[in-house]
Amino acid sequence: MGNYKFILSGGGTGGHIYPAIAIANELKRRHPDAQFLFVGAQDRMEMEKVPQAGYEIEGLWISGLQRKLTLKNLMFPFKVISSLIKAGKIVRRFKPDAVIGTGGFASGPMLRVAAGKGVPCVLQEQNSYAGITNKLLKDKVAKICVAYDEMERFFPKDKIVKTGNPVRGDLVEMSADKSEALDFFGLNTGVPTLLILGGSLGARRINQLVAQNLEFFKKNGVQLIWQCGKLYIEEYAKYNSDTVKVLDFMNRMDYAYAASDMIISRAGAGSVSELCIVGKPVIFVPSPNVSEDHQTKNARALVNENAAVLLRESELDEKFENVFSELFQDKVEQKNLGDNIKKLALPNATKDIVDEIEKLIGNATSK
């Protein structure tokens, strides 16, 4: 039987959207006749990114709670009720065989309604510190796919399956040639290359750090691939040169990783999972502006395995040059970090998650 129907729900950030798309792609590969429907928040980036990936999406009128009293917070109960009603209509009309949630507030109403109607539901938790929505749903779903150990702190142990986080297929293969990758960016072979990643929107503090240290990098003979994000490209494009390549977004991440010798990155779950597969020495600068400070917890999990370096934003002015110089000059430590982070990679995550979904629908259809 291949004509299954799947609903995938999650969004708000790329960290919730791209895993859902990866899971849908693998389900579609195995079941070409299956039907797919994504459900997200009607005013968030999933409404653009999901159709670009070739899937239909419907939006709910939902948003997260703000940390301070705002008009949006006063509207929150009405949004929840509206979203629960619409989610119910979607389930009755679409009749899914399974619903997959990848986190973010948009997935809450959808999975709650579906589970209440007896539809098999799977959660995918990307971070080492579980998100609020997934914690609220833990008793409603059948399986919870995680990327870190010790997640029984948040979820029932018998529901947890450690799969890792879905990553792009081209990174799992990692067949890009380094010299070809450097040529793609117009950079020189034989010169140490630093890759800076701040996420698709960019990271203000990391961009400020790089701009302040351009002379420092030049003095150390380092060339840069600097992904500053679309919000900041106009501000930082002026620093483009023979040895500094400033980009808003990278379509060829396989080349970016292949070209690099060291990496500075945020510590979102998707980035961490990709960097484990890439196996290069990384300095993580977690965003302090995320719920439960989960990026710091993600990075800390790797630091505890001697698999990465962690610098908080508050430490950058005081410590960055010394920390970078020490690692840059220590080739043995670079290799140790690269080897150790690669040991933590779970490259079959997408396939393993889909295996769990198939087990569930198999159980459901055999009853």
Side-chain angles (χ1 to χ4, degrees):
M1 178 181 173
N3 55 340
Y4 292 116
K5 294 182 177 183
F6 299 104
I7 291 178
L8 297 100
S9 187
T13 67
H16 297 309
I17 298 164
Y18 296 121
I21 292 172
I23 292 167
N25 288 343
E26 177 63 15
L27 282 166
K28 190 174 184 178
R29 187 187 70 79
R30 298 189 193 187
H31 306 283
D33 296 326
Q35 295 179 50
F36 296 86
L37 177 65
F38 280 68
V39 177
Q42 63 185 20
D43 59 348
R44 299 302 293 266
M45 65 186 291
E46 55 263 33
M47 302 307 291
E48 174 189 352
K49 299 298 182 184
V50 169
Q52 286 176 357
Y55 294 102
E56 181 186 351
I57 186 168
E58 292 196 33
L60 303 179
W61 184 45
I62 190 69
S63 61
L65 281 166
Q66 307 296 307
R67 294 183 183 181
K68 53 188 178 182
L69 185 62
T70 66
L71 180 60
K72 286 185 177 180
N73 277 354
L74 295 176
M75 297 299 292
F76 183 74
F78 301 100
K79 291 183 176 182
V80 171
I81 293 168
S82 167
S83 296
L84 287 169
I85 292 170
K86 186 169 183 181
K89 291 178 179 177
I90 290 171
V91 171
R92 285 194 297 274
R93 184 188 77 240
F94 192 74
K95 297 181 174 59
D97 293 287
V99 177
I100 302 100
T102 57
F105 41 79
S107 64
M110 191 69 246
L111 271 81
R112 186 176 182 85
V113 168
K117 292 183 179 298
V119 179
C121 293
V122 177
L123 282 182
Q124 199 258 323
E125 172 56 60
Q126 296 99 19
N127 292 293
S128 62
Y129 195 96
I132 293 172
T133 301
N134 282 355
K135 284 190 283 188
L136 290 172
L137 291 168
K138 69 181 188 295
D139 295 322
K140 308 290 182 186
V141 302
K143 283 292 175 184
I144 305 170
C145 297
V146 303
Y148 292 88
D149 293 322
E150 301 179 8
M151 295 302 286
E152 58 271 14
R153 293 177 295 160
F154 309 108
F155 303 126
K157 189 173 182 179
D158 61 329
K159 294 184 179 183
I160 294 172
V161 183
K162 187 179 178 184
T163 57
N165 289 322
V167 298
R168 285 166 279 207
D170 57 350
L171 298 183
V172 175
E173 302 299 328
M174 271 303 288
S175 59
D177 176 75
K178 183 172 184 176
S179 60
E180 181 183 344
L182 287 166
D183 186 61
F184 176 82
F185 289 105
L187 293 170
N188 298 312
T189 56
V191 178
T193 304
L194 174 66
L195 172 62
I196 299 110
L197 301 171
S200 57
L201 298 179
R204 178 183 294 278
R205 188 63 187 92
I206 290 179
N207 287 335
Q208 291 172 341
L209 173 76
V210 176
Q212 291 164 3
N213 284 278
L214 287 173
E215 194 58 38
F216 167 74
F217 292 129
K218 184 178 180 181
K219 187 170 68 176
N220 282 278
V222 180
Q223 57 188 4
L224 309 181
I225 303 171
W226 177 6
Q227 187 252 315
C228 68
K230 67 178 184 180
L231 297 181
Y232 302 100
I233 189 64
E234 290 186 11
E235 183 177 355
Y236 293 104
K238 63 187 177 186
Y239 295 115
N240 256 311
S241 69
D242 290 345
T243 58
V244 179
K245 304 302 175 182
V246 186
L247 304 105
D248 57 346
F249 184 79
M250 282 192 241
N251 293 313
R252 291 300 304 265
M253 282 304 301
D254 56 334
Y255 277 169
Y257 288 131
S260 64
D261 297 293
M262 289 176 57
I263 300 168
I264 295 173
S265 176
R266 284 300 201 201
S271 297
V272 170
S273 296
E274 288 188 359
L275 291 165
C276 287
I277 289 171
V278 170
K280 300 283 178 80
V282 184
I283 298 174
F284 284 114
V285 182
S287 170
N289 307 312
V290 294
S291 61
E292 309 290 352
D293 196 24
H294 67 254
Q295 286 202 10
T296 299
K297 295 178 174 72
N298 290 346
R300 182 74 63 193
L302 273 69
V303 171
N304 291 343
E305 301 293 330
N306 190 32
V309 174
L310 167 62
L311 272 177
R312 293 178 179 270
E313 282 195 357
S314 58
E315 302 173 322
L316 291 176
D317 289 337
E318 178 186 356
K319 295 184 177 180
F320 175 73
E321 287 193 13
N322 286 339
V323 169
F324 181 86
S325 296
E326 194 173 309
L327 181 57
F328 179 67
Q329 292 164 15
D330 191 341
K331 303 302 180 189
V332 173
E333 181 63 5
Q334 286 184 38
K335 185 177 188 308
N336 287 339
L337 290 177
D339 290 345
N340 290 341
I341 198 171
K342 200 168 184 67
K343 289 175 187 174
L344 303 175
L346 294 166
N348 297 317
T350 308
K351 293 178 180 178
D352 291 344
I353 291 167
V354 172
D355 285 347
E356 294 301 320
I357 296 167
E358 288 188 327
K359 287 177 193 174
L360 277 180
I361 57 178
N363 291 340
T365 55
S366 64
K367 287 179 182 177

